[in-house]
Amino acid sequence: MPEPLNPQPDGPEGSSTPAGAGGSIAPTGAGGGADLAMSEGMSLEGPDGPDGSGPGNAPRSLWSDAWRDLRRNPVFIVSSLIILFLVFIAIWPQAITTQNPLSCDLAKAQEGSQPGHPFGFNGQGCDVYTRTVYGARASVTVGVCATLGVSILGSVLGGLAGFYGGVWDALLSRLTDIFFGIPVVLGGLVLLSVVTSATVWPVIGFMVLLGWPQLSRIARGSVITIKQNDFVEAARALGASNSRMLLRHIMPNAIAPVIVVSTIALGTYISLEATLSYLGVGLKPPTVSWGIDISAASPYIRNAPHMLLWPAGALAVTVLAFIMLGDAVRDALDPKLR
């Protein structure tokens, strides 16, 4: 019987390597680069690495990489636990206190810690512990709602101005310059001094009014950078509409800086609410707020320092937690820090 043409070359030990044996492909016989390319191609189909990021996996996105880094960051874990606890007591303060923050006894005014009242009493005889717990509701509500309003308004206006440019971009730039020239505290004293409502909404509206220019500038710059990339030009060449390019290709890639700044700004808005309430133009009684309690306790700091230390400490921990969270998110979303 005649021998077959082009026989398979023998292995290094003289035994031929059958095609498909052990799930592998026989060498081509061409040697050099051809066999190396095939071996590299087969390695790409190999099992994943110990962290689940083997060469066979699809490329991870920025968000998956950021979440992986955040889960390993102790700063993110600690700040997230503090924020979750604050949100929990803001929604359900009755879980850790059964007393009424507006129930006061003048006979116990300025008294220190007692059984059942670990933080003592304020100048009106109200339980400081209960008022500190209930004060988280107003501060967290103002911070979250103001941040959402500022982020949405600033992202929409800045994104549209950065995408379309022209007269809209110039108009937004001049408008933000005007708002940047208004001092925040002075603007609050002027605008909120004429408001008689005791709810949180006038304070939230004021923060959104003066806070959106910063986010709009950041969103505008991010959109201008992203829209110059090749994948946006490819989408435009394929006939994608402006709305599709903006919503599907540009904004998902331009939103990371907005998220970072918004997270850090949330703590700033909480401290701004306390400042305005301390000055008497923010939240007003009977609303329970850390700023109101700090303002009421400041004249008695020498005789009854506990009245000031507990709400001020709660405010400081809350602001610090949100700033730490923002720093962790910034480190995870900034590719330059990798």
Side-chain angles (χ1 to χ4, degrees):
M1 180 179 298
E3 295 182 358
L5 298 177
N6 299 327
Q8 295 288 341
D10 293 340
E13 297 182 0
S15 59
S16 60
T17 304
S24 62
I25 302 177
T28 61
D35 288 342
L36 178 61
M38 292 188 63
S39 64
E40 290 179 352
M42 289 185 292
S43 67
L44 291 177
E45 300 177 357
D48 295 340
D51 59 347
S53 59
N57 283 358
R60 291 191 300 264
S61 65
L62 172 66
W63 302 103
S64 61
D65 282 341
W67 175 239
R68 183 190 60 179
D69 294 341
L70 288 174
R71 289 181 298 175
R72 301 175 180 177
N73 191 342
V75 174
F76 172 77
I77 296 175
V78 172
S79 60
S80 297
L81 291 177
I82 295 175
I83 293 172
L84 288 176
F85 176 73
L86 291 170
V87 173
F88 172 74
I89 64 175
I91 297 175
W92 193 23
Q94 297 85 356
I96 59 175
T97 181
T98 58
Q99 301 184 38
N100 187 347
L102 302 179
S103 178
C104 306
D105 186 1
L106 286 175
K108 298 181 179 180
Q110 302 184 24
E111 292 186 2
S113 176
Q114 298 179 6
H117 306 278
F119 294 176
F121 299 88
N122 65 5
Q124 301 295 324
C126 303
D127 183 54
V128 176
Y129 170 76
T130 303
R131 291 187 63 86
T132 302
V133 171
Y134 274 84
R137 173 177 294 177
S139 297
V140 172
T141 301
V142 169
V144 172
C145 293
T147 302
L148 289 176
V150 167
S151 301
I152 294 174
L153 183 60
S155 299
V156 171
L157 295 179
L160 292 176
F163 181 75
Y164 290 103
V167 62
W168 296 109
D169 189 16
L171 180 62
L172 180 70
S173 298
R174 302 293 76 78
L175 188 61
T176 54
D177 290 340
I178 295 174
F179 277 94
F180 278 132
I182 302 176
V184 177
V185 177
L186 180 60
L189 290 173
V190 174
L191 296 178
L192 295 178
S193 60
V194 298
V195 177
T196 58
S197 176
T199 63
V200 299
W201 300 112
V203 179
I204 294 174
F206 164 76
M207 293 181 181
V208 173
L209 179 63
L210 293 186
W212 69 267
Q214 180 186 15
L215 267 296
S216 68
R217 285 266 178 107
I218 294 173
R220 171 186 173 274
S222 184
V223 168
I224 290 176
T225 302
I226 296 298
K227 77 174 185 178
Q228 298 174 356
N229 290 337
D230 293 338
F231 65 89
V232 178
E233 297 297 332
R236 181 180 287 109
L238 292 174
S241 62
N242 289 336
S243 60
R244 180 177 179 84
M245 286 190 296
L246 188 61
L247 297 178
R248 295 291 301 274
H249 300 286
I250 296 179
M251 290 306 297
N253 294 281
I255 201 67
V258 176
I259 293 177
V260 172
V261 175
S262 299
T263 307
I264 298 176
L266 202 156
T268 305
Y269 293 139
I270 292 177
S271 62
L272 177 59
E273 176 272 319
T275 301
L276 295 174
S277 298
Y278 178 86
L279 296 175
V281 296
L283 301 181
K284 300 175 179 62
T287 303
V288 181
S289 168
W290 291 332
I292 295 175
D293 287 352
I294 293 172
S295 177
S298 57
Y300 308 100
I301 187 172
R302 293 185 177 181
N303 299 328
H306 66 276
M307 295 169 48
L308 176 65
L309 294 179
W310 291 112
L315 175 64
V317 170
T318 302
V319 174
L320 179 62
F322 281 106
I323 292 177
M324 291 169 56
L325 180 66
D327 288 341
V329 173
R330 179 199 60 193
D331 295 341
L333 291 179
D334 192 352
K336 297 180 181 178
L337 299 178
R338 297 184 182 280

